[in-house]
Each structure stands twice: as structure tokens, then as C-alpha cells.
Amino acid sequence: MGRPPKELTPDRSARDLFGAKVRRHREAKGMTLEYLASRLTISKSHLARVELAEHMPPPELPAMLDDLFAAEGIFTELYALCKREAHPDKYRRRMELESRAVVIREFSPQVVPGLLQTEAYARAQFLMHDPKASAERVEELWTLRMSRQALLLATPRPDYSVILDEAVLRRSYGPPEVMAEQLSKLLDLALTPTSFVQVLPFSHGGHALAGGSLALWTLDSGEAVAYEESISTGTLIEEKTSVLGRIRAYDLLSASALSPVESADLIRSVLEGLPA
């Protein structure tokens, strides 16, 4: 005789409520975990952890559940709350504003920005930052990263541009095959109808944004917002004069960086120089 299912606590958090709703709808339809997992093309163990609120739901799951259970958007709405809860209070405003951006411009001096990272590169970065992180924690971080990346696949897609310091291309995270996949993704985005990539070469020397990464968002309201980030801190800048100062510094850096075509050539050169 099988063990009874673990009792859920839907009043604890949005993630717990999401899991409880999954179980409630599944059982109402007479579905086993294994059967529902097969319908959703997700592993049984992963789905079980979602029900138990041990894992953040993957970003594609809510829409599939709404469709399968004719849930009228309940899981999509709950997932939005789950995402807000998953981030510390100081980052929730940042995530809210980024999700409203119709134009996104970023500068990154050290690593590929999260919106552009491949799964393997992101996981390598997570473990570099915290070598003691459990497999469950790394999985959760990647799921959150994927939920942010969905921004660039929205309809309509935001216009996205990024300036990468040359160091981003040459500083490896993970083995060569991980960097090869990541550099290939950058090449795919180098110049498209909604994105372009510029590289700031070492030869440029110093500049006004050398202290950390910068994101500039033009919101759906037309308002411009800036976000600066260092190793362990982030600062949201909404005061107009300060934001305009960051935009000016970014524009100057963009004018000094390689063109998208030249940047693609450099990325390709670094990719071809990776060890076999």
C-alpha cells in the first residue's frame, strides 16, 4: 500500500498555493502524477517537487496547466506572484520595472547578462559564486533566470541592446564547450530586428561605467529607469537627472564600442580560438 501524499500548506506562500492547485486539479481529473507529467512533458520527480513547493514552477508550466485544466488563467496569475515572492524585497521593484520595459539597454563588464545566458553558462556562474550551492538551489536559480529570459520572447518583443566588455568573451565559465555554446548564442543575437550586441575592446581603455554593470529601461509609460549593480548590491535609479546622466554615459560608450558587425567578428574569432 502506497504512502499517503504529503500534506500541503497552501496558505504559506504563492508557491505553496500553486502546488496545492496543481494537486487539486490533478486529483479532480483522476490523474496520477506520472500521467500528468507525461501530458506536460515534464519529469514526474520535477512535477512532484512543484506540487510540494520545493521547486519554482518552470516558466512554460503555468500556461500548459491553464490549457490542460481549462483553468482560465489561474496558474498564470499564481506564477506571477510566485516570481515576485522568489526575489528578496529589495529586488522586487527591479523585477517589476524590467518586466514593463519596451526598450532594454545593458552594459556588462565581466559576465554575460542574465537575459542572454545559456543554461550551462548560468549554472557554471551560480556554482562559481557559491561552490557549496545544492543541486536544488542551482535548479531554482536557473528557473528564476529562465523566467526573466522570457521577457525577450514576449509579444511584442522589447528592443534589446547590450555592450559587453571584451573581458566577457575571454573570461570562461565552465569548460570550452560551455563557452562555445554561450558565444554562439551571442552571435545569434548580434544583429536581429529586435537585438544587437556591441563589444567594447580592451584597446578603448577606461570609461565612466567601469565600476559595475548598468541596465537602462524605457518603460511602457515612456519613463526611463536605470539599475546599477556590483558584486553584492544593486541600486535602482528613478530620479530623472540621474537617469539622464547614465543614459549619456551609455551613449558615449556605445559610440566607442565596435559596431554589431565588427563585434560579431570578434566574438566569432574568440569562439574559433577556444580549445577543441
Side-chain angles (χ1 to χ4, degrees), residues 12 14 45 56 67 69 72 78 155 158 171 178 199 205 209 215-216 224 242 245 252 259 267 274:
R12 180 184 296 171
S45 60
M56 180 76 176
D67 182 58
F69 293 132
E72 299 183 341
L78 277 174
T155 303
R171 179 169 289 108
V178 170
V199 176
L209 297 180
L216 298 168
S242 298
L252 286 171
S259 72
I267 294 170
L274 289 173

Side-chain angles (χ1 to χ4, degrees), residues 97-105 151-152 156-161 194 216-223:
L97 292 174
E98 184 182 61
S99 70
R100 290 175 49 199
V102 294
V103 179
I104 300 173
R105 293 181 287 174
L151 287 171
L152 299 186
R157 295 187 180 187
D159 290 325
Y160 180 86
S161 60
T194 57
L216 298 168
W217 307 314
T218 302
L219 307 183
D220 47 9
S221 62
E223 179 186 3

Side-chain angles (χ1 to χ4, degrees), residues 82-109:
C82 291
K83 287 198 297 182
R84 287 177 61 85
E85 283 188 352
H87 296 279
D89 289 343
K90 63 180 179 178
Y91 292 122
R92 288 180 189 169
R93 174 69 172 162
R94 177 215 186 280
M95 302 303 296
E96 175 191 351
L97 292 174
E98 184 182 61
S99 70
R100 290 175 49 199
V102 294
V103 179
I104 300 173
R105 293 181 287 174
E106 295 191 298
F107 165 68
S108 184

Side-chain angles (χ1 to χ4, degrees), residues 94-202:
R94 177 215 186 280
M95 302 303 296
E96 175 191 351
L97 292 174
E98 184 182 61
S99 70
R100 290 175 49 199
V102 294
V103 179
I104 300 173
R105 293 181 287 174
E106 295 191 298
F107 165 68
S108 184
Q110 300 292 341
V111 299
V112 174
L115 290 176
L116 305 183
Q117 290 178 0
T118 63
E119 179 175 354
Y121 181 97
R123 290 178 182 274
Q125 186 194 357
F126 296 149
L127 288 172
M128 185 69 69
H129 178 73
D130 182 7
K132 296 181 180 179
S134 65
E136 290 76 15
R137 177 56 178 161
V138 172
E139 184 68 30
E140 180 176 9
L141 288 171
W142 169 240
T143 300
L144 292 172
R145 183 63 46 86
M146 278 197 299
S147 72
R148 284 186 60 215
Q149 292 185 355
L151 287 171
L152 299 186
L153 300 176
T155 303
R157 295 187 180 187
D159 290 325
Y160 180 86
S161 60
V162 63
I163 305 171
L164 303 175
D165 192 283
E166 186 176 343
V168 174
L169 311 181
R170 300 191 181 279
R171 179 169 289 108
S172 294
Y173 283 85
E177 59 268 25
V178 170
M179 284 303 298
E181 180 187 30
Q182 181 62 77
L183 293 173
S184 295
K185 181 171 183 177
L186 293 178
L187 278 175
D188 291 340
L189 297 169
L191 186 58
T192 78
T194 57
S195 69
F196 66 86
V197 176
Q198 291 183 274
V199 176
L200 186 72
F202 288 141

Side-chain angles (χ1 to χ4, degrees), residues 8-21 50-57 78 81-86 92:
L8 304 182
T9 53
D11 57 339
R12 180 184 296 171
S13 69
R15 189 188 302 190
D16 285 273
L17 182 57
F18 187 102
K21 290 286 187 183
V50 170
E51 278 198 4
L52 296 173
E54 294 175 354
H55 268 196
M56 180 76 176
L78 277 174
L81 294 176
C82 291
K83 287 198 297 182
R84 287 177 61 85
E85 283 188 352
R92 288 180 189 169

